[in-house]
Amino acid sequence: MNPGGYAVTVAGPAGGAAVWVDAAYLLSAVLFIAGLKGLSHPRSAVRGNLLGALGMLLAIVVTLVDQQVMDWIWIVAGVAAGSVVGAVLALTIKMTAMPQLVGLFNGFGGAASILVAGAVLIQIFGVGLGGAETGELQITIATVASGLVGAVTFFGSLIAFGKLQGIVTEKPVRYPGEQIVKILLLAAALFVGVLIVLDPSQVSYYWILVAIASVLGIFLVIPIGGADMPIVIALLNSYSGIAAAATGFVLSNTILVIAGSLVGASGIILTQIMCRAMNRSLANVLFGGVGAVIEDASQGDVYAGKVTSTSAEEVAMILKSAQRVVLVPGYGMAVARAQTAVRQLTEALERDGIEVEFGIHPVAGRMPGHMNVLLAEENISYDKLREMDQINPTFANTDVAIVLGANDVVNPVAREASGSPIAGMPILDVDKARTVVIIKRSLSPGFAGIANPLFAADNTLMFFGDGKVAMDQLVAAYRDA
Amino acid sequence: MNPGGYAVTVAGPAGGAAVWVDAAYLLSAVLFIAGLKGLSHPRSAVRGNLLGALGMLLAIVVTLVDQQVMDWIWIVAGVAAGSVVGAVLALTIKMTAMPQLVGLFNGFGGAASILVAGAVLIQIFGVGLGGAETGELQITIATVASGLVGAVTFFGSLIAFGKLQGIVTEKPVRYPGEQIVKILLLAAALFVGVLIVLDPSQVSYYWILVAIASVLGIFLVIPIGGADMPIVIALLNSYSGIAAAATGFVLSNTILVIAGSLVGASGIILTQIMCRAMNRSLANVLFGGVGAVIEDASQGDVYAGKVTSTSAEEVAMILKSAQRVVLVPGYGMAVARAQTAVRQLTEALERDGIEVEFGIHPVAGRMPGHMNVLLAEENISYDKLREMDQINPTFANTDVAIVLGANDVVNPVAREASGSPIAGMPILDVDKARTVVIIKRSLSPGFAGIANPLFAADNTLMFFGDGKVAMDQLVAAYRDA
Amino acid sequence: MSFLSILTIFVLAVFVGFEVITKVPPILHTPLMSGSNAISGITIIGAIVAASSGAGLLTTVLGSVALVFASINVVGGFLVTHRMLQKFKKGGPR
Amino acid sequence: MSFLSILTIFVLAVFVGFEVITKVPPILHTPLMSGSNAISGITIIGAIVAASSGAGLLTTVLGSVALVFASINVVGGFLVTHRMLQKFKKGGPR
Ligand SMILES: NC(=O)c1ccc[n+]([C@@H]2O[C@H](COP(=O)([O-])OP(=O)(O)OC[C@H]3O[C@@H](n4cnc5c(N)ncnc54)[C@H](OP(=O)(O)O)[C@@H]3O)[C@@H](O)[C@H]2O)c1
Ligand SMILES: NC(=O)c1ccc[n+]([C@@H]2O[C@H](COP(=O)([O-])OP(=O)(O)OC[C@H]3O[C@@H](n4cnc5c(N)ncnc54)[C@H](OP(=O)(O)O)[C@@H]3O)[C@@H](O)[C@H]2O)c1
């Protein structure tokens, strides 16, 4: 139906596209959706990702053919440079560094949105080419959205990357008046945005907007602790989708809108899942500043004289007589890169007919599903990686639960309705197992900064040491035993 | 993006709609989707249906306001007449007649599509008003689709209604060359369709198309047996959605397209679910002609001397000492209208602390979910209505399974990989219960026309009689016992 | 609206339909059937457009008859679905 | 394309996204994150349009730089997702 009251047919860069281009875009949208549907099972996931890549290739090729490309050299050079960098990064990165890599890629997507929206603005309103008699409002508002969200995404992602990579301090950087500063920055950005909408020919305003939004992006992420970065990255992932969709509104391009909104939805859902698994609100993550390690005065009291420490040999003996062992990995396994030793122990146990399963908490590690990726890399069957709801009822029949570098996700304090930061967070009930072996370097707390009474429980043995070293010792001891 | 090669901006009746109309249509599309999402749980289902109705109301009101209505009298009269008829039918129909009612409503939707597409064709190409310089192809093809699918839906639904209501013979009407007749009719319809596309000003061709498609609709459904009507209705439901979507393409109206495709998807999915639950292909249902009662010669052998019949008093005694009873209703319960007695028995049993659950096979009765509706009408909690996968593991701990007017869905022959018509159909494993009581009028077979060895099993008691009469007797006997 | 935008909307709506409907449990399949059937009465919009186009008596009559059919479908469909759904209750029979 | 058709497409795509993504199991959440991130590199289409518009050196340069960023996102994203997903195998470690 042709809107009569408010005609918004977009002239501008994409005005002359033929029907076959739109048809190809529709096909690639279907490929993206099919690709994401493929991710609903490990069996179909590889093919799903390939379908997504195919959709992208189709969209790119069609666009290249459709555009009367003037300077092929620019296009070729840009794509070639980007592809090489992307491929090298993707192929050389360690699996443990996956969170920061996704964050970085994410930022680049945001940067691209800023630049594209800026270029379109210049083209339509600055240079005067193309001409936008109608639909100015859609274009200008969408451009402002692209620039704002894109810049927050780019700089926010860079900070998140820096925090995870250790370039920027992991600690939450907090200061008085923090929230006010952020609100002022946002208000300033919106004000400039309105100016642009009112007079889009002032192209320089756009860059001012981008500058303010960049600072906002930095100020939004810097006060958040390193352990919360996964949530930030998921949220920024959603933003990068929104920025792409906004760019789609700028260009009246369906494939940008569809792909962008798919990604926007995906990021929001992952963010929600993580928040729910930690029993925290998103607002608390973004503005609450949990993540500072609070010194817990009562720690001495909790553990005093009740902690039993153990050795590789003792654990190996206990394992020899076990029938069912559950391994619970956490952030410490990723830090220590102990996953190879985990696989070796699993193989050794299974050779003796012992049943081995893994209990994976949804927020164990640094990213949702992080443990699964690390263990999958070691060729451990995804059948053995059990979600919280599946593994919890089985701890009662488990002889040994080995907790490797996990802390908060097994802290029974979460079950008590107290005022502790993790109260109400669903946990893995390892304490129900006959024997619990905890491998970590010290009695120091995990991310939430609170003591863990599990360490002092009667059926708990503490095996102190670096995750990898301890697991290697354990594998050797088990083989000798 | 404005397609350049093939401009299809639709002039015609809907050409002048304002942006707020489209916005309202988008809102009602969202309401439809939210409404269907509400149907994912009984808790939210009532609200979901109301949301859907609200979406419809919004769309109607907006359209009325937007159209420069000439003759209000026509509109008011039409809506009033239809609403009264619809309301009376909806409020007076017996729940057991639900399948035919849905079939009838469905047919009316198809009829509306025929008439609307025809009116648009006359308006644009016949009278010359509106004028369709561009986009003829979209309009004409969509009109042909509306007329063809709408007419098949209308007359197919009428026949399905007639079969379920007993007006048309329930038996599959088969004759030599049946498939060829259908193919010729379809070919003729398509040929006329092509003529219309080539020269849309020949409006009379449209009515020829509708006439042929109507005959096709009748010939498609009449050879199918009465018991397969639910599948036919689900499929025609899908068709009515497709016809609405096609009308949407005729009018370039988004809400018709969206609502139509939602319904199209829904019907197809229900069709698939039913076919899978019967382990038959859709082609087999539509063209295979199962449903004729095949006389089974070996029936006598199966039952000879092995059937134990029982009385209400004996069953009541057995129930008295039971701890867990599972009721398995089937088509016979609906025919006999025995559901009130079922509720009374349930209440009596529960008063004595006996656990009662219901095992509902996905294709028990005449419609997917049919048993659930009948039992819900009796205020039986949906918690107690168990799906096949949930109830099957519990039969081993069940003292008495009462099978009320069900046959094929409990026939153990289905488990054997033989050549029987129901081989491979998943069934309810009532034979695993300690005692099985089967209430039916005779030893005659169910819809699939094959003998049921369960009737002759050692732990089976046959309680012969009409479902309602038998249940009433049973309730009385149980109260007296 | 261009053919391809409407086609895109169609394809996306089919995806939404498939995803949403596959989540409906078997217990609600009959209400789903009658409820989605009521939604297919959306043709009523087309009927209003046709009946009020003023393009001649014939189209007005056709549109009005379509209006009767579509109204039966819509009103009857939503009402009967409501009647059914109201019965679905949790908790024992009283 | 009218604003409302594009808005309609947006809304439907968000619905499809929510429905499809909620079906992804936790085990695949990391690949989902990197894979959907790769899809957000669709801005590469916009970059091509901008870089090839011929509206002046400035837009060409902006477009080309955007092209570099977007290509990193796309190529890196799909590749790293592929690398991860290949590891997910059923059956014991060999
Ligand atoms: N995964 C996500 O998506 C996500 C997102 C946001 C927040 N979080 C938060 O992150 C936390 C994750 O829980 P978690 O149990 O996995 O981790 P955690 O509670 O942070 O505990 C990790 C433990 O690993 C130990 N560790 C560190 N380096 C080690 C090494 N080299 N060798 C052995 N042990 C080492 C530490 O103890 P020592 O220092 O004594 O060795 C620490 O107690 C939760 O609080 C969760 O809310 C997760
Ligand atoms: N639900 C669906 O969506 C659907 C769709 C298509 C096909 N079907 C087919 O329909 C069949 C449904 O299975 P079902 O087990 O429910 O039914 P069934 O196998 O057709 O058996 C129904 C039984 O009810 C008995 N009965 C009939 N009237 C009765 C009365 N007044 N009182 C007591 N008993 C009475 C009949 O035995 P007597 O004559 O001895 O009394 C008959 O054996 C399946 O074969 C299925 O494939 C269902």
Side-chain angles (χ1 to χ4, degrees), chain A residues 227-228 230-231 274 278 330-332 335-336 362-368 405-409 425 439-448 465-467:
Chain A
D228 276 338
I231 303 185
M274 277 188 274
M278 300 197 305
Y331 169 48
V335 177
V363 292
R366 291 261 140 173
M367 212 175 179
N407 190 341
D408 298 337
V409 301
M425 165 170 152
I439 303 178
K440 64 199 294 280
R441 294 165 308 179
S442 66
L443 284 176
S444 66
F447 157 64
D466 171 75

Side-chain angles (χ1 to χ4, degrees), chain B residues 227 274 278 331 363 365 405 407-409 440-442 444 447 466-467:
Chain B
M274 279 187 274
M278 300 197 306
Y331 169 49
V363 293
N407 189 339
D408 296 338
V409 300
K440 65 199 294 280
R441 294 164 308 178
S442 66
S444 67
F447 158 62
D466 170 75

Side-chain angles (χ1 to χ4, degrees), chain A residues 47-71:
Chain A
R47 212 195 39 191
N49 185 53
L50 291 177
L51 286 180
L54 184 65
M56 188 63 80
L57 187 67
L58 176 65
I60 294 173
V61 169
V62 162
T63 311
L64 283 177
V65 174
D66 177 52
Q67 295 292 322
Q68 278 77 40
V69 176
M70 302 273 160
D71 282 319

Side-chain angles (χ1 to χ4, degrees), chain A residues 104-240:
Chain A
L104 195 65
F105 284 161
N106 204 30
F108 290 164
S113 290
I114 309 175
L115 298 174
V116 171
V120 173
L121 201 70
I122 294 173
Q123 191 182 335
I124 301 181
F125 302 99
V127 186
L129 249 184
E133 320 76 35
T134 54
E136 294 200 352
L137 223 51
Q138 178 187 338
I139 295 187
T140 48
I141 293 178
T143 302
V144 168
S146 282
L148 179 60
V149 180
V152 169
T153 305
F154 182 41
F155 281 91
S157 298
L158 284 188
I159 299 291
F161 169 78
K163 288 207 172 215
L164 288 175
Q165 193 69 16
I167 302 170
V168 179
T169 171
E170 282 231 357
K171 291 216 187 73
V173 178
R174 317 205 60 104
Y175 50 90
E178 189 193 317
Q179 312 303 347
I180 294 168
V181 171
K182 293 178 208 162
I183 290 171
L184 287 180
L185 280 169
L186 181 63
L190 290 177
F191 177 72
V192 179
V194 171
L195 291 185
I196 296 173
V197 172
L198 294 178
D199 181 6
S201 63
Q202 297 291 336
V203 173
S204 59
Y205 284 2
Y206 179 76
W207 301 111
I208 298 176
L209 169 77
V210 168
I212 300 174
S214 305
V215 178
L216 178 62
I218 297 173
F219 276 66
L220 279 174
V221 178
I222 213 115
I224 304 176
D228 276 338
M229 281 309 115
I231 303 185
V232 172
I233 291 177
L235 192 66
L236 291 173
N237 192 16
S238 176
Y239 285 0
S240 76

Side-chain angles (χ1 to χ4, degrees), chain B residues 227-231 274 278 280 329-333 335-336 362-371 404-410 422 425 439-448 455 465-468:
Chain B
D228 276 338
M229 280 309 116
I231 304 185
M274 279 187 274
M278 300 197 306
R280 283 166 68 195
Y331 169 49
M333 179 182 84
V335 176
V363 293
R366 291 262 143 172
M367 212 176 179
H370 194 191
M371 295 295 120
L404 175 57
N407 189 339
D408 296 338
V409 300
V410 295
I422 60 166
M425 165 170 154
I439 303 177
K440 65 199 294 280
R441 294 164 308 178
S442 66
L443 284 176
S444 67
F447 158 62
F455 301 166
D466 170 75
K468 175 153 175 41

